[in-house]
Amino acid sequence: MIDSLLTIENFHEFGSDFQSPFEDYADWLNSRGEKWNEREWIAGIDFPFGMPQLAITYLGWADDLSKCSWEDYVKKIYIAHPTFSKFCKEVTDWTYPNELSETGNPIKVQAKRITDQVSRSQSPMKVKNNPYPGAMFYKGCKELFKADISIPPVRNSRNNKKIAVEAYPKLVALHFFPDKEQFHELLQKKNIRKEDRNNLSPDELETKKNITNEIKELSVRARRMLRYKEAGEDELARNNRQMIIDGLNKSDNPYGVCVVFSDETHKKRCIADTKADLLDSVLCAVQASWAYKKRESGYGVPYFDTDDPVKRQIELEGWITDPALHEIFQR
């Protein structure tokens, strides 16, 4: 049941002739509220706000994990790694250790946060190959750390009228694809064929190649079903963007937030934007709106007993705000 209205009034693109995108983003974080004479605001921001607990321990970003806070280890990261290249090297050195798999490939250690595992998002340790959540963490979190704002569940600021929540727009988009069931069927078939391939003997090389090719084809078909962003013109992606926007305007959407546009031009721009940056910003706003509705119960962060180790881990790592993830832990 829809009980809230989210009106998209305008889009602001960070970066100009005078400022880099991250300088503009920093100014926005620190001036937002005062500049617009607003008493409170909430923003959904699409990058990892924290690192996996395993990495915090392994890379020595916490002297004592039991006493460490999000601010403690984030501060230590930027002191130890004043440039992204240094951060990238340390993460990469651990991600690709001097150990090879049976096939001769480097063993990848890309630890995930609890929220990454549940949402099936990329690890913030991933600093190579697009997408680059590790780079987004390093560049985006620095300004988030310096800003005087609350960040559930990792930091409660004195200025609790300015809130930032971690968003992941793909989770919103996935709610509005009618072929989700077929997508999961393809993934299941793909996994079955992987097992078939792995159980073949070395002599059955040709059969193994055929199954590998089938797996690749299944993967391509599955990815196309849920595609809503594309580097070039793509009719399927465009139709999917339209479908997402239409779904957010219906009364049965799972966020309880009905999205409308103050100007039809904004809606058309969302549909026409092949990279879907505009649409993603709307989806982040939807997750932020849902979180604001849950402000009396932790902004959508699952509740745990005080002494629960999962609670402690989430307070270090951060949490993606979305009803689907919330429901998983509240069952």
Side-chain angles (χ1 to χ4, degrees), residues 3 49 66 68 83 90 95 98 109 135 138 161 172 204 221 229 234 246 264 269 272 275 290 294 316 328:
D3 54 13
F49 287 3
S66 66
C68 178
T83 64
E90 180 165 24
T95 305
N98 296 320
V109 180
Y138 184 87
K161 291 184 178 179
V172 186
E204 298 174 292
R221 285 169 57 196
K229 54 181 74 178
D234 185 289
D246 291 345
E264 191 69 15
R269 287 179 65 196
K275 293 183 179 179
W290 178 82
K294 298 287 184 181
L316 281 176
I328 289 172

Side-chain angles (χ1 to χ4, degrees), residues 10-243:
N10 208 345
F11 294 104
H12 173 76
E13 185 175 351
F14 294 132
S16 66
D17 294 337
F18 307 101
Q19 288 182 303
S20 74
F22 281 97
E23 288 175 333
D24 198 2
Y25 157 71
D27 286 348
W28 179 83
L29 278 177
N30 290 294
S31 65
R32 182 70 172 152
E34 290 84 356
K35 185 176 179 180
W36 281 268
N37 296 317
E38 295 171 348
R39 288 190 289 180
E40 60 182 4
W41 62 262
I42 186 167
I45 306 178
D46 178 22
F47 64 76
F49 287 3
M51 299 299 286
Q53 182 173 281
L54 186 63
I56 297 168
T57 304
Y58 183 88
L59 296 172
W61 293 333
D63 296 325
D64 183 348
L65 195 63
S66 66
K67 298 178 181 178
C68 178
S69 69
W70 175 83
E71 289 185 314
D72 290 336
Y73 83 80
V74 169
K75 182 179 180 180
K76 195 163 186 177
I77 286 174
Y78 291 114
I79 291 174
H81 313 292
T83 64
F84 174 66
S85 60
K86 289 188 176 182
F87 172 78
C88 185
K89 184 180 186 309
E90 180 165 24
V91 170
T92 304
D93 285 348
W94 181 44
T95 305
Y96 299 93
N98 296 320
E99 186 177 347
L100 301 180
S101 68
E102 293 179 357
T103 58
N105 295 317
I107 295 174
K108 296 182 181 180
V109 180
Q110 288 188 344
K112 287 190 173 188
R113 303 173 297 165
I114 291 176
T115 195
D116 300 321
Q117 296 173 46
V118 179
S119 65
R120 298 183 180 179
S121 59
Q122 299 274 4
S123 165
M125 308 297 292
K126 187 172 183 287
V127 292
K128 292 188 174 182
N129 302 321
N130 191 27
Y132 308 94
M136 291 188 284
F137 162 82
Y138 184 87
K139 295 181 179 181
C141 203
K142 182 181 290 186
E143 301 305 333
L144 196 62
F145 172 81
K146 291 189 291 187
D148 182 21
I149 58 180
S150 289
I151 313 167
V154 299
R155 180 173 74 184
N156 290 317
S157 170
R158 288 171 297 176
N159 186 355
N160 60 6
K161 291 184 178 179
K162 299 170 73 173
I163 310 291
V165 295
E166 184 176 336
Y168 183 32
K170 183 179 178 180
L171 287 179
V172 186
L174 289 176
H175 283 289
F176 304 103
F177 288 99
D179 295 328
K180 273 196 304 182
E181 295 304 320
Q182 191 179 352
F183 167 75
H184 289 298
E185 287 175 8
L186 286 175
L187 288 187
Q188 186 177 18
K189 186 176 180 181
K190 174 184 169 184
N191 291 334
I192 291 172
R193 297 305 279 162
K194 276 186 177 180
E195 288 297 318
D196 291 342
R197 179 187 62 188
N198 294 338
N199 291 332
L200 294 175
S201 68
D203 295 335
E204 298 174 292
L205 183 60
E206 192 60 37
T207 303
K208 184 174 287 191
K209 286 181 180 178
N210 291 337
I211 294 178
T212 299
N213 290 334
E214 183 183 346
I215 291 170
K216 289 179 180 177
E217 184 183 340
L218 288 168
S219 182
V220 170
R221 285 169 57 196
R223 287 199 305 270
R224 277 192 60 80
M225 271 186 192
L226 305 185
R227 177 180 293 166
Y228 70 97
K229 54 181 74 178
E230 189 63 36
E233 289 295 334
D234 185 289
E235 186 177 354
L236 174 63
R238 182 186 179 88
N239 290 341
N240 284 345
R241 292 193 293 273
Q242 175 77 62
M243 189 163 50

